[in-house]
Amino acid sequence: MVAAILKESDMMLSDEHLTMIIDKTFDDADSDRDGKISKEEWRVYVLKHPSLLKNMTLPNLKDVTTAFPSFIFNTEVED
């Protein structure tokens, strides 16, 4: 998701820099350092960064998919 937004915004970051951003974000959320983000860790992280929830709401995701065509999701359902 991060890479797609940056690409659509014409922001060119190296793969190394992008990986550093993602790793830092994960490390900040994974407070017990077990390599997973628990529901409680997520709750605490979101309380510190409330804009995350705004970015994950349906109206905002609709805006993102309109502004960034690479965000179009395709799903398949097996009968």
Side-chain angles (χ1 to χ4, degrees), residues 31-77:
S31 60
D32 65 5
R33 306 289 182 249
D34 67 351
K36 300 178 251 178
I37 298 174
S38 69
K39 288 180 183 179
E40 180 60 18
E41 287 171 323
W42 177 248
R43 186 186 71 75
V44 170
Y45 190 75
V46 169
L47 287 173
K48 290 180 185 175
H49 308 281
S51 63
L52 286 174
L53 289 182
K54 177 189 175 288
N55 294 335
M56 294 182 173
T57 62
L58 289 177
N60 189 64
L61 290 174
K62 180 181 174 189
D63 292 343
V64 167
T65 58
T66 301
F68 303 102
S70 61
F71 271 36
I72 296 173
F73 298 101
N74 298 307
T75 59
E76 294 180 14
V77 177

Side-chain angles (χ1 to χ4, degrees), residues 1-3 5-6 11-30 37 45 49 52:
M1 185 169 145
V2 175
I5 288 175
L6 292 173
M11 292 184 68
M12 299 307 220
L13 294 178
S14 68
D15 288 344
E16 181 180 331
H17 194 104
L18 186 58
T19 299
M20 287 172 46
I21 292 169
I22 294 168
D23 289 347
K24 171 76 169 112
T25 303
F26 187 90
D27 288 344
D28 288 350
D30 182 23
I37 298 174
Y45 190 75
H49 308 281
L52 286 174

